[in-house]
């Protein structure tokens, strides 16, 4: 049966249905599942698990690479199959369960999860469920469109369930570079010295005896939900382009820039897409998710090489890219996320990180995760890995949200994910604030002058003037610092200028 995909003959008798494989997962277990930002997740066994949870007591701790596609987080949450979820998610139904306190969500830097599993600060992993293109002649697992934490899940788990997805092209084989760091405190340096460095294996090495079940599937990855660039994202990209051009003029960068990282989503994808119409060339990426813009840059002749942990594309781009994968493959690598996000490598390569903020304040603190300071949106993801350790940390966002009812620039952020020490550049469609080398009072002047929507500029400037009168290294009117969020909760909007409409 499908000998081209299941090449290790002794495992042939492990082929079973998703329902039978899901029986290996029991109430209270910790389960590691493949999947990183809607790419490469196991698709059949989680659905069978949700069906069981609707009829019997069954709750698990679910650890993945990042968010899952095919509505798996939604289905598992609505079946009440989750007691704990780690380290990232983006599904509205699961988000509702998290904010209601039904599911305990552990929001982690994406580079840290398997480090904690490896040292038994988390876990142990009882069962790993991994999507694969194939199982090699030696029993190695070849991942599909993501690596994420799959390799470490398979290595650390007591039992492994493999879903071989026949809809995933066999041309994915050879794309992956599976490198697992040695144990601390005598760990050797990770030998990645350029985005194109290949330092590991093209498959996940596991003891075939641990593979307890194999399920054949044919379901495609979910497509990404990124929207096309609009006027605001084009303006953000334009401000950032001019900033980089100025860095080149000053001799701090060349037209090759530094290796680029971009967070998932419409704004970050649009910013990278904007590099097509610039003089930058021979670019490289060392990122997490390779989005539509990665392949747009390849096709435009701007990008030489891209390293990531997953490929997540829009439906149209999937149809375009997958048949041409052999054309792109020599310029691509997919790695475990602890390597794509590893602080050692990010610092060594000098990454320019471009990530998205929900809001930031006048001193440059960034909130990436919480609405109103209390309600989880998606999670910090890998943004902190790059913000803290890269050559330059850029955060982008539109200056207003909800039709102008919300200012993305506030007196004090309602939740801090990236403090002022890790934020170098802030960009909205209004303009760009270069915060490097600035003290807090100087940061506030730069942000007020460059990033704030006209509807909110005077109220924010008024707050800052009154804060300065109070004094301090980082001046605040502390009893009013979160008053904008209180006003939003009570009236449905933040305090915009009366004489300016959004």
């Amino acid at each position: 049966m499908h000998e081209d995909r299941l090449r290790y003959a002794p495992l042939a008798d492990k082929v079973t249905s998703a329902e039978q494989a899901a029986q290996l997962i029991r109430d209270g277990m910790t389960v590691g599942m493949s999947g990183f930002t809607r790419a490469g997740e196991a698709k059949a066994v989680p659905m069978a698990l949700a069906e069981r949870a609707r009829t019997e007591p069954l709750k698990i701790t679910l650890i993945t690479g990042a968010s899952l596609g095919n509505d798996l987080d939604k289905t598992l949450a609505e079946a009440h199959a989750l007691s704990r979820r780690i380290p990232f998610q983006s599904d509205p139904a699961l988000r509702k369960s998290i904010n209601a306190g039904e599911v305990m969500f552990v929001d982690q830097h994406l580079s840290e999860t398997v480090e904690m599993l490896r040292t038994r600060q988390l876990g142990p992993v009882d069962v790993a469920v991994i999507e694969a293109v194939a199982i090699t002649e030696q029993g190695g697992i070849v991942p599909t469109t993501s690596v994420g934490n799959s390799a470490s899940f398979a290595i650390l788990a007591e039992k492994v369930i493999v879903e071989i997805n026949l809809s995933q092209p066999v041309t994915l084989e050879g794309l992956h570079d599976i490198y697992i760091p040695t144990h601390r405190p005598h760990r050797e340096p990770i030998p990645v010295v350029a985005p194109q460095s290949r330092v590991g294996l093209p498959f996940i090495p596991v003891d075939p005896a641990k593979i307890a079940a194999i399920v054949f599937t044919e379901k495609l990855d979910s497509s990404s939900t990124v929207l096309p660039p609009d006027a605001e994202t084009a303006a953000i990209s334009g401000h950032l382009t001019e900033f980089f051009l100025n860095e080149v003029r000053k001799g701090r960068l060349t037209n090759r820039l530094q290796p680029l990282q971009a967070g998932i989503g419409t704004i970050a994808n649009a910013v990278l897409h904007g590099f097509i119409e610039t003089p930058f060339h021979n670019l490289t990426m060392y990122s997490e998710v390779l989005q539509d813009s990665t392949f747009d840059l390849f096709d435009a002749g701007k990008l030489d090489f891209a390293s990531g942990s997953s490929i997540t594309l829009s439906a149209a781009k999937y149809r375009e890219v997958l048949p041409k994968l052999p054309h792109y493959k020599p310029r691509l690598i997919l790695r475990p996320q602890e390597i794509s996000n590893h602080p050692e490598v990010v610092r060594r390569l000098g990454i320019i990180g471009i990530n998205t903020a929900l809001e930031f304040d006048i001193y440059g603190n960034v909130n990436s995760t919480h609405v109103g300071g209390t309600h989880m949106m998606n999670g910090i993801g890998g943004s902190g890995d790059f913000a803290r350790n890269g050559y330059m940390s850029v955060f982008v966002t539109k200056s207003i949200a909800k039709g102008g009812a919300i200012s993305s620039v506030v007196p004090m952020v309602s939740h801090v994910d990236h403090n002022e020490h890790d934020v170098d550049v802030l960009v909205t469609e209004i303009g760009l604030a270069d915060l490097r080398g600035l003290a807090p009072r100087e940061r506030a002047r730069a942000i007020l002058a460059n990033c704030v929507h006209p509807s909110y500029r005077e109220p924010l400037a008024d707050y800052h003037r009154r804060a300065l009168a109070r004094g301090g290294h980082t001046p605040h009117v502390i009893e009013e610092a979160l008053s904008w969020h209180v006003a939003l909760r009570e009236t449905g909007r933040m305090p915009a200028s009366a004489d300016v409409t959004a």
Side-chain angles (χ1 to χ4, degrees):
M1 178 186 290
H2 303 293
E3 290 85 357
D4 59 325
R5 300 293 190 112
L6 178 49
R7 303 177 203 141
Y8 185 72
L11 287 176
D13 62 351
K14 298 295 183 181
V15 175
T16 188
S17 68
E19 292 73 19
Q20 284 298 115
Q23 291 293 327
L24 295 169
I25 300 171
R26 299 188 300 276
D27 183 50
M29 279 187 165
T30 295
V31 180
M33 288 188 186
S34 65
F36 191 104
T37 314
R38 301 166 67 86
E41 74 279 348
K43 299 171 174 66
V45 172
M47 295 298 274
L49 194 66
E51 284 300 311
R52 273 182 57 209
R54 291 188 177 96
T55 59
E56 65 180 82
L58 177 61
K59 284 186 179 291
I60 63 168
T61 292
L62 176 59
I63 311 178
T64 61
S67 56
L68 300 176
N70 283 286
D71 287 333
L72 291 179
D73 273 327
K74 175 180 186 292
T75 303
L76 289 164
E78 291 180 343
H80 305 286
L82 302 178
S83 61
R84 189 173 297 269
R85 182 72 169 86
I86 307 172
F88 187 85
Q89 57 77 43
S90 62
D91 180 79
L94 176 54
R95 185 183 304 143
K96 182 179 179 181
S97 295
I98 290 167
N99 289 320
E102 177 185 341
V103 177
M104 296 294 103
F105 177 53
V106 182
D107 185 20
Q108 286 185 325
H109 297 294
L110 296 188
S111 66
E112 294 184 343
T113 305
V114 297
E115 290 279 29
M116 296 186 76
L117 288 170
R118 187 178 293 120
T119 54
R120 300 187 181 183
Q121 298 174 76
L122 288 176
V125 179
D126 297 297
V127 178
V129 189
I130 310 297
E131 183 178 80
V133 170
I135 294 177
T136 70
E137 291 81 356
Q138 293 77 37
I141 301 170
V142 181
T144 58
T145 47
S146 72
V147 179
N149 286 327
S150 298
S152 290
F153 290 158
I155 291 167
L156 295 171
E158 182 180 331
K159 294 180 179 180
V160 181
I161 300 169
V162 180
E163 288 193 10
I164 298 179
N165 191 334
L166 301 176
S167 73
Q168 296 279 20
V170 292
T171 49
L172 285 166
E173 191 166 0
L175 183 63
H176 312 91
D177 188 55
I178 310 301
Y179 178 88
I180 306 297
T182 52
H183 284 266
R184 297 178 290 199
H186 305 294
R187 175 175 293 173
E188 298 175 357
I190 296 170
V192 174
V193 297
Q196 59 268 35
S197 295
R198 283 192 171 273
V199 298
L201 298 169
F203 56 84
I204 300 170
V206 295
D207 179 358
K210 291 208 308 182
I211 298 178
I214 297 170
V215 178
F216 283 97
T217 69
E218 294 191 56
K219 195 169 182 62
L220 295 171
D221 281 346
S222 298
S223 54
S224 74
T225 56
V226 296
L227 300 173
D230 58 23
E232 287 83 10
T233 55
I236 291 169
S237 182
H239 297 316
L240 198 52
T241 294
E242 182 54 39
F243 169 77
F244 286 136
L245 288 171
N246 193 49
E247 292 293 289
V248 173
R249 287 191 287 269
K250 291 182 176 181
R252 293 196 281 248
L253 289 172
T254 71
N255 278 325
R256 297 188 66 173
L257 303 180
Q258 292 285 114
L260 300 170
Q261 174 266 334
I264 189 70
T266 295
I267 297 178
N269 185 69
V271 167
L272 282 186
H273 187 274
F275 284 172
I276 292 173
E277 304 299 330
T278 69
F280 307 130
H281 56 80
N282 298 111
L283 300 172
T284 58
M285 292 184 67
Y286 193 85
S287 195
E288 305 161 302
V289 183
L290 305 182
Q291 303 180 77
D292 287 21
S293 55
T294 302
F295 296 90
D296 293 336
L297 288 166
F298 275 139
D299 293 342
K302 293 288 187 175
L303 185 64
D304 285 354
F305 200 91
S307 168
S309 194
S310 77
I311 298 173
T312 303
L313 305 175
S314 66
K317 189 60 73 174
Y318 266 127
R319 291 192 295 269
E320 178 185 331
V321 167
L322 287 186
K324 296 167 57 180
L325 197 59
H327 166 72
Y328 294 113
K329 195 160 72 171
R331 296 176 286 169
L332 290 171
I333 285 179
L334 293 183
R335 308 179 191 275
Q337 70 195 64
E338 69 170 321
I339 304 300
S340 68
N341 292 45
H342 201 285
E344 174 194 341
V345 180
V346 171
R347 181 66 61 91
R348 177 186 299 130
L349 299 186
I351 305 298
I352 295 174
I354 304 170
N355 290 285
T356 304
L358 283 180
E359 64 179 5
F360 58 85
D361 65 27
I362 58 175
Y363 298 113
N365 300 290
V366 170
N367 171 18
S368 295
T369 60
H370 282 68
V371 176
T374 58
H375 281 58
M376 172 59 64
M377 180 59 71
N378 298 329
I380 194 170
S383 55
D385 297 321
F386 295 94
R388 172 64 58 89
N389 301 292
Y391 167 83
M392 183 184 296
S393 172
V394 180
F395 282 91
V396 298
T397 187
K398 295 183 180 183
S399 65
I400 54 175
K402 300 296 182 183
I406 297 174
S407 173
S408 299
V409 191
V410 293
M412 178 186 283
V413 289
S414 57
H415 177 89
V416 181
D417 291 296
H418 313 281
N419 64 51
E420 60 184 282
H421 309 293
D422 297 335
V423 180
D424 298 317
V425 177
L426 293 169
V427 196
T428 70
E429 79 280 6
I430 305 300
L432 179 148
D434 180 0
L435 306 180
R436 295 173 298 174
L438 301 186
R441 291 173 183 238
E442 297 169 315
R443 285 171 164 250
R445 288 198 293 270
I447 291 168
L448 285 164
N450 294 290
C451 297
V452 184
H453 191 276
S455 298
Y456 291 94
R457 192 171 292 144
E458 180 50 38
L460 204 54
D462 174 68
Y463 173 87
H464 185 234
R465 284 191 294 269
R466 291 185 292 111
L468 288 173
R470 296 258 184 119
H473 177 63
T474 306
H476 270 297
V477 183
I478 199 69
E479 68 273 18
E480 295 183 25
L482 295 176
S483 62
W484 287 31
H485 299 89
V486 174
L488 176 63
R489 184 189 66 199
E490 295 180 349
T491 71
R493 70 172 300 117
M494 290 181 174
S497 299
D499 57 343
V500 183
T501 58

